[in-house]
Amino acid sequence: MQELLKNKPFVTMVLASLLNTVGGELFNIVFIVYAQTMPFAGLAVSIASMAWVAPALTAILTGYLADRTVHKTRMQVVIKLIQVCIYLVIAIMIGRSKSLPVFVLLVAMDMTSSMLEGYAGSLWMPVLKHLVQPGQLHQATSITSAASNVAAVISAGGGAVLIAILGNRFAVFALINALTFLLAGILVAVGYRKFARAEVSVNGSPVGKHVGLASSLHVILGEFRHSAFLVLMVGFGCMVNLLGTALQPLLNLGLISMPQVWWGSYGTTIAAVNGISSLGLILGALLAADPLKRLPMAHLLTGVMAAAALVGVNLVWLRIPALLFFPLLAMNYLLGKINPRFMTMLISTVAEDHLAATMGVVQTVMMIGAPLGQMVFLTLGNLVGIPITMSIYAGLTGLLALTIFSVGLLGMNAKDPTPDMGRRQKSG
């Protein structure tokens, strides 16, 4: 950890990414509040809430473009300047009209910035591989993941405070967002030479050659054909996201009628749920060297789904406040370990000329189930009630936990290279 913190290019990259996340997350919160002020509030909130899916669904394209981009650091600076301009325009437009076309245009600009941020994140991946020593890669991805989660917590808390102070001065929030992207761009410019030197190693691969999207996807499919473990991880990841991302909206809906589970008030309970979930993600990423580093990924995924099932069981039958929070902490702690470890495996094993595109495919497939899961379970919750819906949810998550555990024992664990990466990190 100390060696990484002395690595100035790596620290600069983490700080730039942290500023990006703070700006993006802060404005997402504010944009929901802005949507509630529209005459068509229900439609506006729905549009704003679903807009976050777009960057994940375009990850294949942005990953492909990132692999084809030769001057990655230069493009990082260009992206930051474009994002600054986007939010300056939003600052001018927001609040001046409450018509649907203007609102949709503002959403489109915010989504464009989010997609550019996905492109920028893909540009960092191969560069990161050459900024740190091979034995430090897992720790480096854990730190970047933890920084992203810390930024989300800062944005949630800071957003609530700023909304209380500034009220509905949405243009000011857009200007704050423009400032965060400007500062991130300045940080990239400060570390430009060292980032560019890392690119020399990256560009030693055929990254600069012209390869069509279809050909690139064919190469990526070859990665899946040669790795049964990667196929299983992506498949299980899709199902875990389908069920896991539905838990928070279900809790938001279900806790309304369950005051016996509250910690004080409904609002305090929801805030505590979000805080504990974020804390679990941060601790899981930062404590990368705990004894769980030797567990195979299938066991970690099993724990995630078992914890989610326990939350459902508690809400339906037990109604114990402590059992609402401890499983959420455990669930997110395990997720905080899974994401960096999986990213480390991909960065270490996938060729650099299609690394970003491969991660784009993985991200898209894994996240495509998230909106479906939320829609299905929220619809069920409103139609048949929370007790029945949570019973179904607990049953499905428990069944998925058993399935993943069984597949792990039947061969997935033997193909899992990630525990060895953890041991190599310790020795390095």
Side-chain angles (χ1 to χ4, degrees), residues 338-360:
I338 290 169
N339 296 332
R341 194 196 286 189
F342 188 53
M343 185 180 295
T344 302
M345 185 202 77
L346 289 175
I347 294 174
S348 301
T349 58
V350 177
E352 289 167 5
D353 62 319
H354 56 276
L355 172 60
T358 301
M359 295 198 73

Side-chain angles (χ1 to χ4, degrees), residues 281-366:
L281 288 169
I282 294 167
L283 290 176
L286 286 179
L287 302 177
D290 71 0
L292 296 183
K293 71 178 184 293
R294 294 185 177 86
L295 284 181
M297 294 285 264
H299 286 8
L300 297 178
L301 287 171
T302 298
V304 169
M305 286 293 93
L310 184 56
V311 173
V313 169
N314 180 51
L315 286 186
V316 177
W317 290 289
L318 303 176
R319 308 280 177 95
I320 301 172
L323 275 183
L324 174 64
F325 295 100
F326 286 120
L328 284 173
L329 182 64
M331 175 183 174
N332 286 280
Y333 183 82
L334 294 174
L335 283 173
K337 299 197 159 301
I338 290 169
N339 296 332
R341 194 196 286 189
F342 188 53
M343 185 180 295
T344 302
M345 185 202 77
L346 289 175
I347 294 174
S348 301
T349 58
V350 177
E352 289 167 5
D353 62 319
H354 56 276
L355 172 60
T358 301
M359 295 198 73
V361 171
V362 168
Q363 180 185 357
T364 301
V365 174
M366 283 187 167

